[in-house]
Amino acid sequence: MKPNLTTTLVESLRERISSGHFAPGDKLPSENTLIAEHGVSRTVVREAITRLQAEGLVHTRRGAGSFALTPPAEPQMASALVPRTLDERRALMEFRVGFESEAAAKAAATYSIKDLAAMDEALRGFEAASGNASASMSCDYEFHLAVARATANNYFSHAVQNFGPSMIAMPRRRLEPSESRSAAQWGLVAAEHQAVRDAIASGDPQLAAAAMRIHLANSIYRLESESGSKN
């Protein structure tokens, strides 16, 4: 029964997001509200939110709740942009190396105290997630979105929002707690995020671009190492 209940809830929330009932940035109903409205368990609600996160339709901020993201204009476009194979995830990461390195460089010249605060909040959330794949993916996305917003160029932040959390190239099986990374691996990612943040705060565009490039190049390496020959 549970998979059917989860699928039904996913389809209901997906339709409400795509139709604009939940506008981009709107907070979704709380777990308790969804439980009452749909007559499902807390486990079903959490599984549905996790699936919507993987589709790039929802992101969750620790302690704040889940929020709707901007859906692409065409459903076919959404399917095309969500990376599923190793080759697609690698292609997305290669695009991000150029795109986000430039964003980090720009951010170093334009950031505000508010922007740094947003990065710090995402960093704290990532560390607090303790390797939980779904929560870490959300905080990872929030960090990169904060960098994009720090450029003071809406095209950068709009592009990141269009990708949504699906831009974080994490294999679907890694959303299972038993497949979460070791503490050391999560620590490496956290350290790289911190290096990007500190480079931006230094006001040095070249240093910021280099820090982001190193982080994303390492992400490609980790993606391929963890995926092995299965993809």
Side-chain angles (χ1 to χ4, degrees):
M1 274 299 281
K2 187 163 60 176
N4 290 334
L5 291 173
T6 301
T7 298
T8 299
L9 180 55
V10 167
E11 291 175 350
S12 174
L13 292 174
R14 184 192 293 125
E15 191 280 329
R16 294 166 79 181
I17 293 170
S18 299
S19 68
H21 179 84
F22 293 129
D26 280 356
K27 185 175 180 178
L28 269 60
S30 67
E31 285 187 356
N32 288 338
T33 299
L34 290 174
I35 289 169
E37 286 182 350
H38 296 271
V40 296
S41 68
R42 193 172 304 276
T43 298
V44 167
V45 170
R46 291 180 176 177
E47 288 178 354
I49 293 298
T50 296
R51 284 173 57 177
L52 290 169
Q53 287 174 335
E55 292 180 17
L57 290 175
V58 167
H59 75 277
T60 301
R61 293 203 297 269
R62 186 179 181 84
S66 297
F67 298 82
L69 294 171
T70 304
E74 297 291 339
Q76 295 85 355
M77 185 69 74
S79 298
L81 288 178
V82 175
R84 303 185 187 282
T85 68
L86 175 60
D87 285 343
E88 289 172 351
R89 291 193 291 270
R90 185 193 299 114
L92 174 58
M93 295 301 296
E94 288 171 350
F95 168 76
R96 289 179 59 196
V97 170
F99 165 68
E100 292 197 75
S101 295
E102 184 62 29
K106 175 68 174 170
T110 59
Y111 76 87
S112 67
I113 297 300
K114 181 179 178 181
D115 293 321
L116 288 182
M119 293 179 212
D120 290 338
E121 181 180 359
L123 289 172
R124 287 191 296 269
F126 188 87
E127 292 180 358
S130 301
N132 177 280
S134 179
S136 298
M137 181 174 73
S138 179
C139 294
D140 198 339
Y141 167 74
E142 289 293 335
F143 176 78
H144 287 273
L145 179 58
V147 172
R149 286 174 171 161
T151 65
N153 182 326
N154 289 335
Y155 288 99
F156 280 107
S157 56
H158 184 68
V160 171
Q161 287 175 306
N162 276 349
F163 278 118
S166 64
M167 70 182 281
I168 307 302
M170 185 181 294
R172 185 177 295 273
R173 68 178 184 276
R174 297 286 303 288
L175 292 172
E176 298 296 328
S178 62
E179 298 291 341
S180 57
R181 298 178 182 178
S182 69
Q185 289 173 310
W186 289 109
L188 286 173
V189 177
E192 290 166 13
H193 283 171
Q194 186 68 53
V196 171
R197 182 268 185 208
D198 291 345
I200 290 172
S202 76
D204 185 332
Q206 291 185 338
L207 183 63
M212 181 64 82
R213 190 175 298 111
I214 290 171
H215 167 51
L216 294 177
N218 286 342
S219 294
I220 293 174
Y221 173 78
R222 284 188 289 265
L223 173 67
E224 294 178 337
S225 297
E226 293 166 10
S227 298
S229 61
K230 293 182 180 181
N231 289 295

